[in-house]
Amino acid sequence: MVIKSLEELQRIKEAQLEAIRLREADQKAKIVVGMGTCGIAAGAREVMSAILDELGKRRLTGVAVTQTGCIGLCAQEPLVDVILPGKPRVTYGKVDASKARQIVAQHIVNGIVISEWVVNRGEE
């Protein structure tokens, strides 16, 4: 694609921003997996795969799954944050693939925090 004018570039930018806004407006939840070197070494890739697989099996839409670098709690890796609209951020520690699937089932689907795995809970 060859962009021939600044106006054309601006139209493309606006269209992309609108697509992002629409996608974000539809999100009911956000899952963030810590993928720093410590997280990857502890199994974060498997955790990410399990989350994506479980969301796919349940045909859940409106859930953004992203990754971040080191969260700073290396002893608790792999770490997974769950953010539901209107609720405080919940950080789960020492998550494996099995726990990741349960987090999707309980926290994302049913809104039930699995307290025994929580390492940090944000303010409301």
Side-chain angles (χ1 to χ4, degrees):
M1 170 193 260
V2 176
I3 299 171
K4 297 179 181 175
S5 69
L6 186 57
E7 291 79 24
E8 186 178 353
L9 179 61
Q10 187 65 30
R11 281 194 302 274
I12 293 169
K13 176 185 171 189
E14 290 302 321
Q16 292 301 314
L17 288 174
E18 181 61 22
I20 291 169
R21 280 192 288 274
L22 289 173
R23 188 170 59 239
E24 288 175 349
D26 188 41
Q27 292 174 358
K28 300 174 187 117
K30 184 174 184 180
I31 301 171
V32 182
V33 180
M35 296 285 277
T37 54
C38 50
I40 291 169
R45 283 192 179 117
E46 293 80 9
V47 169
M48 175 74 88
S49 293
I51 289 168
L52 294 171
D53 183 60
E54 193 66 23
L55 290 171
K57 283 181 180 177
R58 293 172 178 272
R59 296 185 176 157
L60 295 176
T61 59
V63 180
V65 181
T66 63
Q67 63 186 31
T68 189
C70 182
I71 296 172
L73 295 169
C74 299
Q76 293 293 322
E77 292 286 357
L79 290 163
V80 173
D81 287 338
V82 174
I83 306 151
L84 297 177
K87 303 283 184 184
R89 172 188 301 255
V90 175
T91 303
Y92 291 101
K94 297 187 179 181
V95 178
D96 59 20
S98 174
K99 286 180 178 180
R101 291 178 185 282
Q102 291 176 62
I103 289 167
V104 170
Q106 291 300 311
H107 198 154
I108 300 298
V109 174
N110 296 317
I112 299 168
V113 176
I114 306 171
S115 298
E116 60 267 23
W117 301 339
V118 173
V119 295
N120 189 33
R121 193 177 292 201
E123 301 290 323
E124 282 196 66

